[in-house]
Amino acid sequence: MSKSTRKIIMFIALFSVFSSMSTLIYKTIYKLDIPWFLIAGGLICGLVLAYLVRSYDSDDDYMPKNSKKLK
């Protein structure tokens, strides 16, 4: 995965987490009628996506380098 792809996916994940947290703050301050599953779903999806991108990043360092070219 290229660095630009990782950055785009990480931006989507962090945007999901931040928007869910801001929705939670608005819900508690203004007593809005927003379902909890939307907030929890956004948080879970964002955190899982961020974890997967970060774990894929660290796995790249341990991939064996193939010094022999295939013929």
Side-chain angles (χ1 to χ4, degrees):
M1 184 183 323
S2 67
K3 284 187 178 187
S4 61
T5 307
R6 287 183 201 143
K7 287 182 181 182
I8 291 170
I9 294 174
M10 189 59 94
F11 172 76
I12 293 169
L14 294 178
F15 182 78
S16 175
V17 170
F18 288 140
S19 63
S20 295
M21 290 304 295
S22 65
T23 304
L24 179 63
I25 291 169
Y26 283 140
K27 179 179 175 73
T28 56
I29 291 174
Y30 296 116
K31 310 285 190 220
L32 297 176
D33 189 27
I34 300 172
W36 281 100
F37 69 88
L38 291 176
I39 298 169
L43 276 173
I44 291 170
C45 289
L47 292 174
V48 166
L49 189 59
Y51 173 75
L52 291 175
V53 170
R54 295 296 297 165
S55 66
Y56 187 81
D57 262 350
S58 62
D59 286 346
D60 277 350
D61 299 336
Y62 301 109
M63 293 297 288
K65 303 293 185 206
N66 191 3
S67 61
K68 297 178 183 176
K69 292 185 178 181
L70 297 174
K71 294 182 181 181

